Each structure stands twice: as structure tokens, then as C-alpha cells.
Amino acid sequence: MRDIPIYQVDAFTDRPFAGNPAAVCLLNGPADERWMQQVAQEMNLSETAFVYAKDDGFSLRWFTPATEVDLCGHATLATAHILWQTNVMPAGATARFYTRSGLLTAEPRGDLIELNFPALRAETAPIPTAIVDALDVEPIYCGKFGARYLLELKSEDAVRRVQPNFAALKALPERGVVITSRGVGEFDFVSRYFAPWVGVDEDPVTGSVHCCLGPFWGQRLGKTELTAYQASARGGVIHVRLLGERVGLAGRAVMVMAGKLIG
């Protein structure tokens, strides 16, 4: 495949070189899975999105440098931003994405882009000693959603201070772990997300885990609208709305690079 447009977008931020970078590849139709994985490895970002027009919307798939994933928030936000910025879709139109997690949508909401994703619920689980040791934390709650763990820590400072032993984490048979606490000041809660098992040691801003964090903190704080901060080195802000069995995840995005794949 040659001359395929590809863009790099910083998602869940209003300025370049912050938030979570994603690559967005605009295809004319289905592509070879091995080729997509090679492109994602070449881009070496937490996710590369591959999108093409299908029916009344778009087919959308996401790849880390190591594997395909079922759900990715920041790369979906980035994809919607590119579809509007390049006039593939008219301004203000709702983007409909057919994915491995079903139909997802993105639409403008003021100066934000809001994604409509499935809500995920954490079930209380035994504290995983090996993960706790690798993170050197003292959780006050442990839950699990799918194959990922959610650990609540006692303070925002405790979340920010964590320095994981990624080699120890990667040796464990897990999928991902999010640490979180109640926020201080303008943010209702903060989090960080580690996923060395899929080639991403620390993800800068992770939309998909907020499908769980939103309901988790909404119940604790008695709110249906929350403002979250993912406290990675790059950092990013996610506005969360609880919509029953769905979650609205809103943020901003900035295109930082445009080019073509020639091989």
C-alpha cells in the first residue's frame, strides 16, 4: 500500500506535545492485519488507528506496537478530529465507528469532542500481591474490570509518586492496571495506567479505563458529570458524563503532524 495519508494527533489536550499521541491512518478499504501491525510498530505510539468508510459510518481498528486492542479512547478521539479537520466529514456531523467493541460515536460538544462508549464496572477483587509489590503501593480498594485491575490509593500524591518496576509487572500474567484516587482542586479524581503487557509501559491518557473510572467515582462522589486528570508525565484532561450503560468521554485534540505512508 502506498501514499496512504497518516496523521499524528495529541488527544485529551488543547496544546501540542501533551495528552496522548495517536497515529491515524486513512484507508480506502480493508488492510492486511500484519501490515497494520507493522505500521503501528513503526509509529511506536501507544495506539495507531486505521479507519475507512463503511456503510453509514467508518470501520475503526486500533493497534499498539505489540498487538490489536478491543477499545481505545484517545485514538478514537484523534480519528474523529482528523475526519473533521480533513473534511472527510462535515463539521458538526456525528462520526459512527464500527469496532470490536460495537458501535461507538463521536460528536462535537461545545469546544470538546465527546465519545460515546460502553460503561464498564469494577468488581471487588482480592489485592494482587505481585502487582502491589511491583508498584510499591498500599491500596485501600482493589477491583477488576475484564482482565485489568483497578487500585484505589489514599491520595493524589500517592498516585503521582508511584515508580513502577515494569520488568516485574511484565512478568505477570495480567493485561493492565490503573491506580486512582480522589482529586484535589479542580479534578474529581486522578489516575495513571500501566500496560507493559501490550507494549505500553505507562499510557499518557487512557480513554477506555475512564469507562470504568467514571462509574466508579461517580458512585463514590454522587456525581454524573466529573472532570478527571491522568497524571502521567504528559498529562491529560477527560470530562466524563455517566449515561446509564454508556459513558460520555470528552476532550480536545491537536494535530501535530501530517504525512503519507509510502511503503
Side-chain angles (χ1 to χ4, degrees):
M1 302 180 73
R2 300 181 65 85
D3 295 333
I4 302 297
I6 191 165
Y7 304 88
Q8 186 166 319
V9 177
D10 290 339
F12 292 115
T13 182
D14 59 1
R15 59 186 176 87
F17 317 125
N20 200 353
V24 179
C25 188
L26 299 185
L27 303 173
N28 293 321
D32 177 74
E33 190 170 298
R34 181 172 177 271
W35 176 84
M36 290 190 287
Q37 186 64 74
Q38 289 174 327
V39 171
Q41 186 175 22
E42 183 77 9
M43 296 306 296
N44 199 32
L45 301 172
S46 56
E47 258 86 16
T48 297
F50 298 87
V51 61
Y52 64 87
K54 176 183 178 182
D55 301 329
D56 60 343
F58 299 88
S59 170
L60 178 61
R61 295 172 72 175
W62 312 277
F63 288 77
T64 76
T67 190
E68 185 172 9
V69 296
D70 292 334
L71 186 65
C72 179
H74 84 280
T76 305
L77 185 77
T79 300
H81 179 73
I82 289 300
L83 292 177
W84 289 318
Q85 289 290 306
T86 59
N87 297 315
V88 173
M89 287 194 63
T94 297
R96 295 167 57 86
F97 299 114
Y98 294 96
T99 77
R100 283 168 52 152
S101 291
L103 176 65
L104 310 175
T105 62
E107 60 184 343
R109 185 162 69 87
D111 62 346
L112 304 174
I113 299 171
E114 184 174 75
L115 311 175
N116 186 288
F117 274 27
L120 303 174
R121 310 288 176 178
E123 300 292 337
T124 300
I127 294 175
T129 303
I131 289 180
V132 167
D133 289 346
L135 296 176
D136 192 20
V137 296
E138 297 180 2
I140 58 177
Y141 170 84
C142 177
K144 199 169 186 183
F145 57 110
R148 296 182 282 190
Y149 279 97
L150 184 156
L151 302 178
E152 182 186 354
L153 305 188
K154 64 182 179 180
S155 69
E156 179 175 325
D157 185 58
V159 170
R160 291 178 179 271
R161 285 201 317 264
V162 170
Q163 296 182 345
N165 181 334
F166 289 114
L169 280 179
K170 195 171 183 179
L172 303 174
E174 311 300 345
R175 181 74 176 182
V177 57
V178 56
I179 56 174
T180 186
S181 76
R182 189 180 298 233
V184 175
E186 63 181 304
F187 302 112
D188 293 297
F189 65 91
V190 299
S191 67
R192 293 171 67 189
Y193 180 61
F194 311 113
W197 304 275
V198 295
V200 182
D201 280 353
E202 179 168 2
D203 198 30
V205 194
T206 316
S208 62
V209 300
H210 285 78
C211 294
C212 179
L213 288 170
F216 178 82
W217 283 110
Q219 183 178 37
R220 277 165 169 70
L221 301 177
K223 291 186 172 185
T224 58
E225 297 194 14
L226 306 102
T227 303
Y229 183 72
Q230 192 154 331
S232 65
R234 292 174 64 100
V237 177
I238 300 178
H239 302 271
V240 184
R241 289 200 304 151
L242 305 184
L243 307 168
E245 295 305 309
R246 308 290 292 182
V247 176
L249 306 175
R252 298 174 177 86
V254 181
M255 185 198 308
V256 296
M257 191 182 304
K260 289 186 176 180
L261 288 169
I262 60 173

